[in-house]
Every structure is written in C-alpha cells, then in structure tokens.
Amino acid sequence: MMRDHREAMLYIITGGFTTLVNYAAYGAFVWCHIDPIVSNVLSWFVSVTFAFVVNKWIVFESRSLESRKVTTEVVEFFGARVLTLVVSAVLFAVLFDYLGSEMGVHILTDEFFGIRGSEGYVTKLITSFVEIALNWVLSKYWVFRKEKSEA
C-alpha cells in the first residue's frame, strides 16, 4: 500500500507531526507567558513553516535550492495555507451557525453520538477534513507541481 500511495501516506504522517509541532509550539509560547491568542498565531506560523519543509523535501520531493524557486514555493505555500485557513473559518461558521441553529441539525453543534457538550467539535472535524484535502491539492498541483522536465 505504501508503494502505491506513498505521497498520500507521507502527507498524512507528516501532517500528524505538523499537528504535534503546532501543539508543542503553542504550549511553549503559553509557558513563556505569551497571550494564548498570540501563542495560537505564532504556533500556526511555526507549524506551517515545519509543514513547508517536510512537504517540500519528504512528501513532494522538491529538492531545488535555487533561491527563486524556493522563494516562490514559500510564498505560494503560505498563501495556500492562509487561503485554506479562511475557507475553513468560513465553512466552520456556516456549518456551526446556519446548519446547527436554524435547520436544527444539532449533531453539528452540541451533541455527537449522544455526548452532550461537544460544542462545535463535529463541525471542526468536518472543516478539518476539507482543509486537509485543500492543503494537499494546493500543495501537489500548485506549490510543488512538477514541471514537465521533472516528471
């Protein structure tokens, strides 16, 4: 399975590590008495930087160190991540506010498999899957796309 789906498997594995980096960085910033909101922004930046490096080298095997190409990749990668962050935030708001309250689909806002108080966790889970999928597509087909000569 790893041979047939190597890129996707590596993306999932490095994504897990990226999540750990995000939480570790957040914890370190909070431990240093940095405001939690600022800590969250800083940990996002640290984890996206980590994600760029592992996606570039391990997942999509873009080994060029030519400064122009790396600069383009960095700008496109961070731009893509900001875009998916916005999409995720908007989708979360729509699912949580509109579907959860107006249409009465309460599983998205306050109950998950009979567990009360899961305020928004199912909505966050749904938006996370969308965000991960968009990140992969943008990384593969835009940021780290293979030129015809590389393929």
Side-chain angles (χ1 to χ4, degrees), residues 7 10-12 16 46 74 91 132:
E7 196 174 86
L10 287 172
Y11 187 79
I12 291 167
V46 168
V74 166
L91 182 60
I132 289 165

Side-chain angles (χ1 to χ4, degrees), residues 77-142:
F77 190 83
F78 272 84
R81 293 299 164 111
V82 168
L83 174 67
T84 60
L85 178 66
V86 170
V87 168
S88 178
V90 169
L91 182 60
F92 183 91
V94 168
L95 288 176
F96 187 81
D97 290 336
Y98 182 71
L99 292 177
S101 60
E102 291 184 22
M103 296 183 69
V105 185
H106 297 289
I107 190 169
L108 296 176
T109 56
D110 48 57
E111 186 173 335
F112 181 56
F113 291 115
I115 301 169
R116 303 285 295 149
S118 60
E119 189 73 18
Y121 287 108
V122 174
T123 306
K124 184 157 181 60
L125 184 65
I126 293 167
T127 58
S128 292
F129 279 115
V130 171
E131 186 174 8
I132 289 165
L134 282 174
N135 282 334
W136 183 81
V137 167
L138 290 171
S139 291
K140 180 171 179 68
Y141 297 107
W142 182 43

Side-chain angles (χ1 to χ4, degrees), residues 145-151:
R145 67 192 170 277
K146 302 275 189 225
E147 302 298 326
K148 291 189 190 253
S149 60
E150 294 176 272

Side-chain angles (χ1 to χ4, degrees), residues 52 68-82 142-143:
F52 171 77
R68 185 178 215 171
K69 182 165 177 67
V70 173
T71 301
T72 299
E73 288 175 338
V74 166
V75 169
E76 288 177 351
F77 190 83
F78 272 84
R81 293 299 164 111
V82 168
W142 182 43
V143 179

Side-chain angles (χ1 to χ4, degrees), residues 19-102:
T19 301
L20 292 175
V21 166
N22 184 291
Y23 279 83
Y26 177 80
F29 291 130
V30 169
W31 185 76
C32 291
H33 305 288
I34 297 173
D35 179 79
I37 293 171
V38 174
S39 294
N40 191 47
V41 171
L42 292 173
S43 66
W44 178 87
F45 184 79
V46 168
S47 65
V48 171
T49 301
F50 174 81
F52 171 77
V53 172
V54 297
N55 277 280
K56 176 177 176 52
W57 286 94
I58 298 171
V59 178
F60 299 107
E61 298 178 344
S62 175
R63 304 291 165 92
S64 173
L65 292 176
E66 193 265 315
S67 62
R68 185 178 215 171
K69 182 165 177 67
V70 173
T71 301
T72 299
E73 288 175 338
V74 166
V75 169
E76 288 177 351
F77 190 83
F78 272 84
R81 293 299 164 111
V82 168
L83 174 67
T84 60
L85 178 66
V86 170
V87 168
S88 178
V90 169
L91 182 60
F92 183 91
V94 168
L95 288 176
F96 187 81
D97 290 336
Y98 182 71
L99 292 177
S101 60
E102 291 184 22

